[in-house]
Amino acid sequence: MLQPLLKEQLYTVDNIYALPDGERAELIDGVMYDMSTPSTQHQRVVHYLDRTVGNYIAEHKEKCEVFPAPFAVFLNQDDYNYFEPDITVVCDSSKLDDKGCHGAPDWIIEVVSPSSRSMDYIKKMFKYRNAGVLEYWIVDPEKDSVTVYDFKGEGGGSYSMSDVIPVGIYDGDLQIDFAELKV
């Protein structure tokens, strides 16, 4: 006799908002993924990127804004997907409200933690690409690598964390010098 399949519980954004203070999670297609506390190394990388990108935006009077985590990104305009990328750059202010970004940001950077490796390289990459994110970087300090996806089809590639990497959404005018980062 066939056994019935157990139905997997689908979570929504309301479940994210109901988490106790201090607990964070992301939601991908209704599946909730707990987020661990980031390491000091992880936070150094995020701080460096936030400061570098933010300074560029301020100096060049760009219309974009940079947001470090925790910052909510609602990619699909539904209740089943909720992301908190490490760095989010949004150039269309109409996508922003007090809750976060509704729709695809222009540029997302994820700094890999041991617990997030497959999420960052596989699940999030596909979700970001399909939602219309223009550029996605995966910074992996453990592997000393930065993987750049330029979803406009004009570049990208693999780099080491000692390289100077051009930012595609700024046509290479902004370059991130990872050698300046001491991790």
Side-chain angles (χ1 to χ4, degrees):
M1 178 178 213
L2 292 174
Q3 296 293 321
L5 294 174
L6 295 176
K7 189 173 182 179
E8 187 177 293
Q9 178 178 352
L10 289 180
Y11 293 94
T12 68
V13 173
D14 289 338
N15 296 110
I16 296 289
Y17 291 143
L19 289 172
D21 284 345
E23 285 189 32
R24 293 175 47 219
E26 290 183 306
L27 198 58
I28 301 177
D29 296 327
V31 178
M32 192 179 308
Y33 298 91
D34 291 330
M35 298 176 73
S36 59
T37 302
S39 69
T40 301
Q41 177 183 18
H42 181 280
Q43 291 301 88
R44 280 186 186 120
V45 173
V46 169
H47 178 69
Y48 171 74
L49 292 167
D50 178 46
R51 186 179 69 243
T52 303
V53 175
N55 287 345
Y56 175 85
I57 289 171
E59 290 169 9
H60 291 85
K61 307 223 184 316
E62 291 286 333
K63 63 179 182 169
C64 304
E65 292 184 70
V66 60
F67 300 95
F71 178 75
V73 174
F74 305 91
L75 281 182
N76 298 0
Q77 306 290 335
D78 64 26
D79 286 338
Y80 301 102
N81 289 279
Y82 171 95
F83 298 84
E84 288 187 6
D86 290 308
I87 298 289
T88 304
V89 176
V90 181
C91 299
D92 179 355
S93 63
S94 72
K95 294 180 180 181
L96 299 171
D97 69 12
D98 285 343
K99 291 189 178 204
C101 177
H102 299 269
D106 295 84
W107 181 21
I108 289 178
I109 304 173
E110 294 282 8
V111 180
V112 174
S113 299
S115 62
S116 72
R117 186 170 303 283
S118 68
M119 293 284 294
D120 294 337
Y121 279 99
I122 300 168
K123 288 184 181 190
K124 289 183 181 180
M125 190 272 295
F126 284 111
K127 293 300 279 188
Y128 294 157
R129 182 186 69 198
N130 291 338
V133 172
L134 299 177
E135 191 163 351
Y136 175 45
W137 289 23
I138 302 171
V139 179
D140 194 334
E142 189 175 294
K143 291 186 174 183
D144 188 43
S145 70
V146 179
T147 304
V148 174
Y149 294 98
D150 180 350
F151 296 134
K152 296 180 299 184
E154 299 173 9
S158 296
Y159 301 87
S160 80
M161 289 188 66
S162 58
D163 289 333
V164 177
I165 305 173
V167 178
I169 67 165
Y170 293 117
D171 297 323
D173 289 341
L174 170 58
Q175 298 188 21
I176 306 293
D177 185 355
F178 278 90
E180 291 180 0
L181 176 63
K182 308 294 184 234
V183 290

